[in-house]
Amino acid sequence: MGAKGKIALGVVVSVVVIGAVSANAGDDGDSGSGGKGKDSAASAERGSGTKSDTKSGTKSGTKSGADTKKDAKAGKAEKKAAFQGDGDFEVGTDVKPGTYRTTGNTDSLCYWERAKDASGEMDSILANDNVSGTSYVTIPAGDKLFKSSGCKDWEAVDAKATGTPAALVKGDGGMHRVGVDIAPGTYRSTGNTDDLCYWERTKDASHSLESILANNNVSGTAVVTVAAGDAYFKTTGCKDWKKTG
């Protein structure tokens, strides 16, 4: 287990989850054990700051005060990776319980896995996924191991983080945090073919079946309302989403 290209278990993409329609989301610290749907395929999810080296016009060639302030801000904004994108990490020893994010992954080559032990057996898997774009994962204290293969480095996520929510979302961008990465509202994606477009609204980042509020596989036009109480919106294989209301 843990090799690149591994099939993710849990959410059955070809089946629409019907039932939970409440938009009340749990916070990022919510934990949950992933449902195991053996051999069923889950949805495959499909920066760095630059420093200004402009010198001042003085003979000494030193940076101006404004440039120095810019560099200081840039350094302060840089996020330090919590752990690397490749390896097996023991929870509580190598990685602290919490919510983490990886970004910039391509072609679903990033694979991660939450496990209840280090046996490497199928039954030890609590949740997993193949990722393209961005993924958020909450690792509870009860987990034993977190595996990551072919992923960009993982950074810790502040539960109180703020951002500028977007009204246009890449259709293969992975997971988006509601209110931070994506604005609540109704979104539309057109031109999808062969049911390859998959979207999902969730109440947390545990990736358990219980965390799913709604999901669907779409051909043609897809319309979904992302509620303010949702925690995340996940999209893979879709055309871009545009906010319409």
Side-chain angles (χ1 to χ4, degrees), residues 4 79 108 158 160:
K4 292 183 182 179
K79 291 187 176 181
S108 298
D158 184 351
K160 298 180 180 180

Side-chain angles (χ1 to χ4, degrees), residues 88-189:
D88 294 350
F89 305 93
E90 289 190 272
V91 180
T93 302
D94 302 319
V95 57
K96 295 180 180 179
T99 299
Y100 297 88
R101 179 179 71 171
T102 178
T103 62
N105 300 289
T106 59
D107 302 324
S108 298
L109 294 179
C110 165
Y111 171 81
W112 64 259
E113 176 183 306
R114 288 175 47 218
K116 63 182 179 182
D117 56 47
S119 68
E121 298 177 359
M122 294 283 281
D123 289 344
S124 72
I125 298 175
L126 296 169
N128 66 352
D129 206 357
N130 293 102
V131 179
S132 193
T134 297
S135 184
Y136 288 84
V137 182
T138 295
I139 304 173
D143 287 7
K144 174 65 176 179
L145 207 64
F146 183 79
K147 299 184 178 184
S148 178
S149 176
C151 303
K152 300 294 185 181
D153 290 349
W154 295 83
E155 64 184 23
V157 174
D158 184 351
K160 298 180 180 180
T162 60
T164 304
L168 181 64
V169 176
K170 291 292 183 182
D172 210 28
M175 288 180 72
H176 305 275
R177 190 172 174 183
V178 179
V180 177
D181 304 324
I182 180 176
T186 299
Y187 289 79
R188 181 183 179 95
S189 172

Side-chain angles (χ1 to χ4, degrees), residues 56-67:
S56 68
T58 61
K59 291 182 180 181
S60 61
T62 57
K63 293 183 180 180
S64 67
D67 288 332

Side-chain angles (χ1 to χ4, degrees), residues 159-228:
K160 298 180 180 180
T162 60
T164 304
L168 181 64
V169 176
K170 291 292 183 182
D172 210 28
M175 288 180 72
H176 305 275
R177 190 172 174 183
V178 179
V180 177
D181 304 324
I182 180 176
T186 299
Y187 289 79
R188 181 183 179 95
S189 172
T190 60
N192 300 292
T193 58
D194 302 324
D195 286 332
L196 295 178
C197 169
Y198 174 79
W199 64 259
E200 179 180 302
R201 293 170 47 225
T202 68
K203 62 183 180 181
D204 57 43
S206 70
H207 294 265
S208 66
L209 286 174
E210 292 78 10
S211 75
I212 298 175
L213 296 169
N215 68 350
N216 203 1
N217 293 99
V218 182
S219 270
T221 299
V223 179
V224 59
T225 296
V226 179

